[in-house]
Amino acid sequence: MKKLMNGAQMKMIDTYSIQEVGIPSLVLMERAALCVTEAVLEKIKKTDKVLCVCGSGNNGADGMAVARQLTERGISAEVYTTAEEGKGTEELNRQCAILQKLGIVFVNDIPAGEYNCIIDAVFGIGLSRTITGRYEQIIAKINAAKDTGSLIVAVDTPSGINAGDGQVMGCAVRADMTVTFGFAKCGLCLYPGRIYAGELCVANAGFADVRTIPEIWEQAAFTMEDTDIAAFFDRPADTNKGSYGKLLIVAGSENMAGAAALSARAAYRTGCGLVKVFTHENNRTVVLTHVPEAVMVTYKDTADIKEKLAGELDWADCVVAGPGLSKSDTAKEIVAEMIAYQPKREKRLPVLLDADALNIIAENRKLLSGIAENEGSSKQYVYTPHMGEAARLSGKSIAQLKETSCESAKELAQKLCGVCVLKDAATIVSDGSRIYINTSGNSGMSTAGAGDTLTGILAGSVLAGRTQKNGKENASYEFFEKICMGVYLHGRAGDAAADRFGNAGMKAMDIADAVANVLKEN
Ligand SMILES: NC(=O)C1=CN([C@@H]2O[C@H](COP(=O)(O)OP(=O)(O)OC[C@H]3O[C@@H](n4cnc5c(N)ncnc54)[C@H](O)[C@@H]3O)[C@@H](O)[C@H]2O)[C@@H](O)CC1
Ligand SMILES: Nc1ncnc2c1ncn2[C@@H]1O[C@H](COP(=O)(O)OP(=O)(O)O)[C@@H](O)[C@H]1O
Ligand SMILES: [K+]
């Protein structure tokens, strides 16, 4: 797991390192700049011309240090700065004075086509308002240089991108690479900041260890990495299929069979021991064709459907409901029964609600209050809305949700008394307080049924790790973390499917099957 910081948290890390621990500001800066210099040297030729465009804060000071370090290594590096003599930060004034003594050239324009590489050191985490006027022109000139082929390397953040939410504050530099310090910033993992950042390189600038400072560490968002996968999906030898969970998938409707098949297949590929599909009788052949390992429980009409469902809920260790369910009266009855069933159980059943189950809840507030009353702090409900479904659940517009995705996921989790997986190109998961930002996946996953595979993978992730070598439930990961891992794994499976079939040609079933490859390789 990797922490992601916003601008304010990073400022606290800066301040703590300098004031509490006593690491001199200029030492941090030198190390930070060295990381940028090394990254640039890997990308350019010895004869290339570099321009460092520097603002008047410490981001600009970093840029000046980079100009000096590149010059030391024999690269032609010049500086353009917005800082007036003596009016920058203390560090900037110091860096500027050194450059002047070294005879480094200061220029007064950013001509397109003249420099092979431009270092964007206008704004970093100190960007505090919308960019207008002179700064807007500077950013436009950097982007114009990019269009003529200059390599753009951003220092810490692409200038104009909000480090917290990834939004463009008026305008922003379109970097080819961003060398960011200490931790990846949330805004560089969220869209559109993620695109503006280009290749992201997280550099160790020598900040003090902040793991013991809860205001920073506990509050920070996080993401998963490949190195986390194995621990979640550990599979001890002395086990049987029951050890890996009994999953009930309530999906599909009279003319919709694919969703149930995709969810079930993805669940088996994620390691579920036993998957039962509760669906309309019409879907039997399609589901079994794609997932012969599935056990089928079917219905033809609503007669005794509640009793049938209750029996299966008694059997299950986890339930997925919603993919392809439709909004028919039968579907409404199923969702209502599932919610009414929970308080009857001694131990909460993890319930993953997706697609039409979410739409049914959005249209019937009584169901929501039923969950709120029963759920308390147990948080065993997981909701997986895409932006359209989230708009219906929250009453916000899709544009609003996208601009405030972390806050929106948090609010929805609170409102729905569970874990919210707000699906998008950068999916956010929240339990109402913590924030996970997903960094896996690709545009090939914008394909019908990709969300259905997510439900199966999430269930697989919840049910994995139920066993340890002594056969007891694995308590090392919290429910919330298992959901975050499922989201990460889904994205990695999408990446593996894209490697095999390409982003355009890959389809949802490829994602389901690729989970096996990702688990095998990690
Ligand atoms: N010792 C340190 O403090 C270190 C700082 N570091 C660098 O310092 C950066 C942060 O430095 P600062 O806090 O000085 O902030 P920045 O240099 O990111 O920017 C702040 C300056 O820009 C101005 N500003 C903000 N928004 C503006 C807008 N829209 N239009 C015009 N002016 C605007 C502010 O008034 C301020 O003068 C980091 O991103 C990183 O690059 C690193 O070198 C690591 C060590
Ligand atoms: N561009 C993308 N980058 C990363 N992940 C994506 C992208 N597009 C879609 N996804 C993922 O694919 C899934 C799509 O889900 P959803 O919209 O519910 O699809 P469906 O309803 O067709 O099953 C989500 O998990 C989403 O995060
Ligand atoms: K910058």
Side-chain angles (χ1 to χ4, degrees):
M1 287 180 222
K2 207 166 61 176
K3 292 284 179 178
L4 306 172
M5 300 290 164
N6 61 28
Q9 288 158 344
M10 209 55 225
K11 256 261 109 68
M12 282 162 78
I13 295 172
D14 233 42
T15 309
Y16 173 77
S17 303
I18 297 165
Q19 292 178 6
E20 301 290 322
V21 180
I23 306 172
S25 176
L26 283 170
V27 170
L28 291 174
M29 193 166 274
E30 197 65 15
R31 281 190 64 170
L34 266 173
C35 297
V36 179
T37 302
E38 296 301 336
V40 170
L41 286 171
E42 276 187 20
K43 301 264 178 193
I44 65 169
K45 297 195 296 286
K46 209 60 193 152
T47 49
D48 280 353
K49 277 185 78 179
V50 179
L51 179 68
C52 298
V53 182
C54 304
S56 59
N58 282 352
N59 195 250
D62 286 344
M64 290 198 185
V66 171
R68 167 167 49 75
Q69 293 167 358
L70 286 172
T71 306
E72 251 173 63
R73 285 162 169 79
I75 303 289
S76 157
E78 298 179 343
V79 173
Y80 173 97
T81 183
T82 61
E84 290 169 36
E85 183 108 28
K87 289 206 176 142
T89 58
E90 193 186 326
E91 289 86 345
L92 183 115
N93 295 339
R94 181 79 77 92
Q95 300 286 2
C96 195
I98 299 172
L99 295 200
Q100 282 165 348
K101 287 211 173 114
L102 290 173
I104 288 172
V105 175
F106 283 75
V107 296
N108 53 19
D109 198 11
I110 308 168
E114 197 155 305
Y115 296 93
N116 306 88
C117 172
I118 293 192
I119 308 297
D120 158 32
V122 183
F123 301 118
I125 57 167
L127 179 69
S128 55
R129 53 191 186 274
T130 301
I131 297 170
T132 54
R134 179 184 177 207
Y135 283 99
E136 195 178 353
Q137 286 169 12
I138 289 170
I139 286 170
K141 284 187 178 183
I142 296 175
N143 285 337
K146 180 188 171 84
D147 293 337
T148 66
S150 302
L151 175 82
I152 311 294
V153 178
V155 176
D156 211 15
T157 66
S159 299
I161 294 297
N162 182 319
D165 62 16
Q167 295 300 306
V168 174
M169 295 182 74
C171 59
V173 168
R174 289 182 278 116
D176 294 293
M177 174 168 75
T178 297
V179 182
T180 197
F181 307 134
F183 295 88
K185 312 298 180 288
C186 301
L188 308 182
C189 298
L190 296 165
Y191 291 98
R194 189 151 147 184
I195 295 173
Y196 281 79
E199 182 191 339
L200 184 63
C201 168
V202 182
N204 178 359
F207 292 110
D209 187 350
V210 291
R211 279 176 296 183
T212 54
I213 305 178
E215 305 91 276
I216 298 173
W217 202 250
E218 305 303 326
Q219 299 296 315
F222 70 104
T223 191
M224 293 283 179
E225 305 173 90
D226 281 2
T227 47
D228 298 315
I229 294 176
F232 278 85
F233 295 93
D234 180 34
R235 222 162 158 95
D238 184 16
T239 50
N240 60 64
K241 62 179 178 287
S243 318
Y244 299 101
K246 296 187 296 251
L247 170 64
L248 180 68
I249 297 177
V250 183
S253 45
E254 209 167 337
N255 298 308
M256 265 266 228
L262 284 162
S263 180
R265 188 142 156 165
Y268 269 127
R269 288 297 197 197
T270 314
C272 268
L274 198 52
V275 179
K276 210 180 249 191
V277 175
F278 187 94
T279 190
H280 194 277
E281 173 60 25
N282 287 4
N283 303 332
R284 180 183 289 277
T285 311
V286 175
V287 173
L288 287 178
T289 303
H290 289 283
V291 201
E293 302 86 351
V295 176
M296 302 295 294
V297 180
T298 60
Y299 56 86
K300 277 194 177 136
D301 48 45
T302 44
D304 70 8
I305 197 165
K306 275 189 182 174
E307 292 71 21
K308 226 181 209 174
L309 180 61
E312 298 309 333
L313 291 169
D314 282 340
W315 166 85
D317 297 316
C318 177
V319 55
V320 162
L325 195 61
S326 86
K327 290 199 289 174
S328 66
D329 288 344
T330 312
K332 286 177 185 160
E333 213 164 309
I334 287 175
V335 173
E337 173 57 23
M338 200 118 46
I339 292 165
Y341 171 85
Q342 277 287 34
K344 297 177 199 157
R345 264 179 85 113
E346 212 171 285
K347 188 164 175 259
R348 284 280 184 268
L349 176 68
V351 177
L352 278 55
L353 297 175
D354 183 48
D356 285 324
L358 300 175
N359 295 329
I360 289 171
I361 288 180
E363 284 172 15
N364 184 353
R365 298 280 135 179
K366 269 212 306 240
L367 291 174
L368 248 188
S369 48
I371 296 175
E373 267 167 36
N374 298 323
E375 215 28 32
S377 60
S378 54
K379 302 261 164 75
Q380 296 282 297
Y381 276 92
V382 181
Y383 305 85
T384 54
H386 58 51
M387 286 291 171
E389 288 152 356
R392 289 190 276 280
L393 283 165
S394 66
K396 288 186 186 176
S397 69
I398 291 178
Q400 276 173 317
L401 287 169
K402 278 180 171 281
E403 270 175 33
T404 57
S405 55
C406 293
E407 271 315 299
S408 297
K410 203 185 223 182
E411 283 166 19
L412 264 176
Q414 287 165 359
K415 177 171 173 178
L416 301 168
C417 298
V419 175
C420 174
V421 177
L422 181 55
K423 294 185 296 193
D424 203 7
T427 292
I428 310 294
V429 189
S430 178
D431 60 354
S433 57
R434 289 171 288 182
I435 297 286
Y436 168 84
I437 300 175
N438 195 44
T439 45
S440 60
N442 61 77
S443 62
M445 300 177 76
S446 303
T447 183
D452 303 330
T453 67
L454 176 68
T455 60
I457 295 171
L458 290 178
S461 189
V462 166
L463 292 170
R466 291 175 76 246
T467 53
Q468 276 181 327
K469 288 186 179 64
N470 62 8
K472 293 240 174 71
E473 193 154 328
N474 184 352
S476 42
Y477 293 106
E478 285 178 52
F479 185 71
F480 173 64
E481 290 169 336
K482 291 180 185 179
I483 297 298
C484 299
M485 172 43 78
V487 171
Y488 181 74
L489 179 61
H490 176 244
R492 292 297 289 119
D495 292 338
D499 280 348
R500 182 141 186 246
F501 297 103
N503 288 36
M506 64 181 268
K507 56 191 186 60
M509 204 55 98
D510 305 325
I511 303 175
D513 286 341
V515 178
N517 302 75
V518 178
L519 292 180
K520 181 168 170 263
E521 278 156 25
N522 286 282

